[in-house]
Amino acid sequence: MELSLWTYEGPPHVGAIRIANSMRGVHLLLHAPQGDSYADLLFTMIERDNHRPPVTYTTFQARDLGSDTAELVLNSIHAAVEKHKPQVLLVGDSCTAELIQDQPGSLATSCGLSVPVVPIEMLAYSRKENWGAGETFYSLVRGLLQSRVPAPGTEPAPRGGQPPSVNLLGPSSLGFRCRDDVREITQLLAQMGVRVNVCAPLNASPGDLLRLPDADANVCLYPEIAGPSCDWLQRNFKQPTIKTVPIGVGATREFLAEVAETLGIEYAPDATDSRLPWYSRSVDSTYLTGKRVFVFGDATHVVAAARIAHEELAFEVVGMGTYSREQARAVRTAATELGLKALISDDYLEVERVISELQPELVLGTQMERHIAKRLGVPCAVISTPAHVQDYPARYSPQMGFEGANVIFDSWVHPLMMGLEEHLLAMFRDDFEFNDSAQPSHLAAEGVAKRSENTAVNDSIHSEDADAAAELTWDLNAERELRKIPFFVRGKAKRNTEKFAADTGVSVINVNTLYEAKAHYSR
């Protein structure tokens, strides 16, 4: 384990809480010390749930370690079942309680409860939150359906003229826009004449999970959560898995085509409901062509975002990566196709270093990257968890489907558009209508004046560059010319010019030096 100021994922038991909180009729008994109940805040404060997660903590204290903590577990189990009367009881332990080795799952299965018990193993010191969520959901699915698995060699029973149906698997609490993604994909499937049999774990009950084998196929919307369950259902119930994640216009078309092929129906996908293709070809967006973009987050959203940026918005993806080590292969494959080497890391300081070195003009990432981009003076859009409360809007704001493509276009392009506005205000500040006494825009707090400070912070990251820059001076005309460059590339222009000046032995940078450096780095 490594202590860190920020972390992309919590421990596995937070993932288990996400699954319990997503479902109805499921309660989680968590063997944990006093203090581990902090996870409740993630749901009530960030996702703004109107209820606390369905979790009972044993909350043992230091003085309890000298006695029988297993007895405390048993008492807590019986009290939780008596009070909450769940349809299914999940039992596990937090990272701290794992060291005691009380085996709460085994204790629960042997104490004769009136409800089904599903023990979960968290592997707290080698795994993290998304894995914990996926493992918990898999344990639930397998635990409830194991007795219904057909004998080997048994063929699935014919559906008998029923309309085709699928299960939507993977949406969960604290996922990124899961609620709205489910609504969007359900509407798209309905247009095809395909019914959603079960959506799980979000808003599903244990009874719903028992109906999973009734569907013709499973849609793996979020592989981090649903991947193991989809594989198990395919092996044991012969249900095919639809694996295309419908984020972006191209991926949505491919998703609908895969659904049609898998279910044996005819359907011609049409993207007329999405404005992204038209906007991406419009005059207003042509200046975005070739913008340098860095992408980081969970694997599902990173792979999708890199494809949208490259194929649908004509951005140049200069770097991409993920903190999800279990899904690293998919990100590495996508990066290789773009001629890049994927960054696989959960160290935000390493991510910040790479962003600083690549000098992108737009960052697509998590809440961490939003802070990093703000310090470096670069526009940013959040595309993945971990996210802040502002990334869980009350309005309808999906990421998937054709409407999701519209939302994505607005979310990514507007930061660049507002950056252009600030640049124009700065460029014409000497005009009588745009002077320093004029009313600043709502972004002025993070405008040009502050960005010059951010540039200095960025330069200080590399001590060698900072030492070289200290020996150089800018004359007044060169500084004025530098301020005409848009702030989101000004830092790069300044660093390139100072490097050029240092390499050529120039100590005072004038306008000619600035343009000579531009010509040198434009070759």
Side-chain angles (χ1 to χ4, degrees):
M1 264 182 118
E2 181 178 337
L3 294 178
S4 177
L5 178 64
W6 285 343
T7 180
Y8 287 98
E9 296 183 87
H13 72 265
V14 174
I17 297 174
R18 286 174 56 185
I19 301 304
N21 190 66
S22 300
M23 300 187 65
R24 296 175 284 111
V26 173
H27 196 82
L28 171 63
L29 188 287
L30 197 64
H31 190 30
Q34 188 176 30
D36 272 4
S37 58
Y38 72 91
D40 286 11
L41 299 176
L42 297 174
F43 301 90
T44 56
M45 295 183 64
I46 296 180
E47 201 168 35
R48 296 181 286 195
D49 282 349
N50 59 0
H51 62 277
R52 293 187 65 179
V55 183
T56 294
Y57 300 89
T58 59
T59 57
F60 61 84
Q61 302 180 46
R63 63 173 178 266
D64 297 319
L65 298 178
S67 59
D68 187 2
T69 52
E71 186 67 24
L72 176 62
V73 173
L74 290 171
N75 292 337
S76 299
I77 290 172
H78 287 289
V81 172
E82 177 66 25
K83 178 179 180 181
H84 300 286
K85 296 178 172 57
Q87 299 173 35
V88 171
L89 181 69
L90 293 171
V91 181
D93 45 18
S94 72
C95 49
T96 310
E98 186 177 308
L99 297 174
I100 305 175
Q101 297 184 354
D102 279 331
Q103 303 296 323
S106 299
L107 291 174
T109 55
S110 62
C111 61
L113 296 175
S114 59
V115 300
V117 175
V118 177
I120 48 178
E121 298 293 333
M122 290 289 94
L123 304 179
Y125 292 93
S126 59
R127 301 290 187 171
K128 293 194 174 182
E129 178 182 332
N130 280 339
W131 182 89
E135 182 68 13
T136 301
F137 183 53
Y138 166 68
S139 297
L140 263 173
V141 171
R142 185 185 62 181
L144 292 174
L145 290 175
Q146 185 68 56
S147 62
R148 302 192 179 196
V149 173
T154 304
E155 292 297 325
R159 302 292 176 188
Q162 297 179 1
S165 66
V166 297
N167 299 316
L168 301 183
L169 302 184
S172 68
S173 290
L174 284 185
F176 193 72
R177 310 285 174 83
C178 288
R179 175 200 65 189
D180 297 340
D181 285 347
V182 168
R183 175 179 164 187
E184 178 69 15
I185 297 307
T186 300
Q187 291 173 349
L188 285 176
L189 292 171
Q191 294 172 9
M192 303 177 66
V194 177
R195 178 177 60 88
V196 173
N197 177 53
V198 171
C199 175
L202 191 64
N203 296 324
S205 68
D208 292 328
L209 297 187
L210 293 174
R211 296 190 294 108
L212 287 176
D214 297 340
D216 297 294
N218 295 308
V219 176
C220 188
L221 282 184
Y222 304 95
E224 288 88 349
I225 308 300
S229 298
C230 287
D231 292 342
W232 188 83
L233 289 167
Q234 185 164 358
R235 289 194 309 270
N236 291 277
F237 290 92
K238 305 301 186 290
Q239 288 178 303
T241 300
I242 296 167
K243 296 184 178 181
T244 302
V245 179
I247 301 180
V249 174
T252 299
R253 287 172 172 163
E254 292 177 8
F255 166 77
L256 296 176
E258 185 179 357
V259 170
E261 180 181 1
T262 302
L263 301 180
I265 60 178
E266 294 185 2
Y267 184 75
D270 184 5
T272 55
D273 291 335
S274 177
R275 296 178 178 174
L276 186 150
W278 181 85
Y279 276 135
S280 62
R281 294 192 298 268
S282 68
V283 174
D284 288 340
S285 70
T286 52
Y287 91 96
L288 300 174
T289 301
K291 290 295 183 185
R292 294 167 53 83
V293 178
F294 178 84
V295 189
F296 194 86
D298 70 50
T300 295
H301 289 91
V302 163
V303 172
R307 176 178 176 178
I308 294 170
H310 176 68
E311 297 181 4
E312 300 178 20
L313 293 175
F315 290 159
E316 180 188 357
V317 181
V318 296
M320 60 186 292
T322 183
Y323 56 80
S324 303
R325 296 188 182 277
E326 292 82 9
Q327 303 290 326
R329 179 176 298 177
V331 177
R332 287 194 178 101
T333 300
T336 301
E337 292 175 354
L338 295 174
L340 302 172
K341 181 179 179 181
L343 171 64
I344 311 299
S345 175
D346 57 3
D347 183 353
Y348 70 92
L349 293 176
E350 183 178 6
V351 177
E352 180 170 7
R353 176 185 60 78
V354 172
I355 293 176
S356 179
E357 290 176 353
L358 293 175
Q359 299 179 357
E361 295 160 277
L362 175 67
V363 173
L364 304 174
T366 73
Q367 174 68 7
M368 313 289 205
E369 283 66 51
R370 176 190 278 144
H371 288 302
I372 292 170
K374 186 175 181 179
R375 283 200 300 275
L376 300 179
V378 181
C380 178
V382 173
I383 64 164
S384 162
T385 55
H388 195 265
V389 62
Q390 70 191 81
D391 302 305
Y392 293 89
R395 68 184 184 280
Y396 182 58
S397 186
Q399 296 291 284
M400 294 185 176
F402 295 128
E403 183 59 29
N406 294 334
V407 173
I408 286 172
F409 182 89
D410 288 342
S411 301
W412 297 8
V413 170
H414 286 175
L416 291 171
M417 292 288 192
M418 298 312 297
L420 178 63
E421 175 185 311
E422 289 302 312
H423 165 59
L424 292 175
L425 289 174
M427 190 167 65
F428 293 106
R429 66 170 54 189
D430 293 331
D431 290 12
F432 71 95
E433 292 181 298
F434 297 95
N435 53 60
D436 288 337
S437 62
Q439 182 68 28
S441 79
H442 67 284
L443 290 180
E446 299 176 11
V448 177
K450 187 173 181 179
R451 293 185 189 280
S452 62
E453 299 175 7
N454 289 338
T455 300
V457 173
N458 186 19
D459 289 342
S460 67
I461 296 176
H462 304 286
S463 59
E464 295 181 1
D465 293 344
D467 293 341
E471 301 175 0
L472 301 171
T473 57
W474 289 69
D475 72 19
L476 186 59
N477 291 331
E479 287 183 343
R480 288 175 178 171
E481 196 68 18
L482 180 66
R483 283 196 294 270
K484 294 180 181 179
I485 301 174
F487 71 80
F488 41 82
V489 291
R490 188 181 305 148
K492 178 180 178 180
K494 184 174 185 291
R495 283 187 291 273
N496 285 347
T497 303
E498 290 175 345
K499 186 176 186 304
F500 175 82
D503 291 344
T504 56
V506 174
S507 58
V508 178
I509 298 174
N510 55 31
V511 174
N512 290 334
T513 310
L514 184 62
Y515 282 100
E516 288 173 2
K518 178 182 178 181
H520 174 76
Y521 287 105
S522 298
R523 294 172 184 171

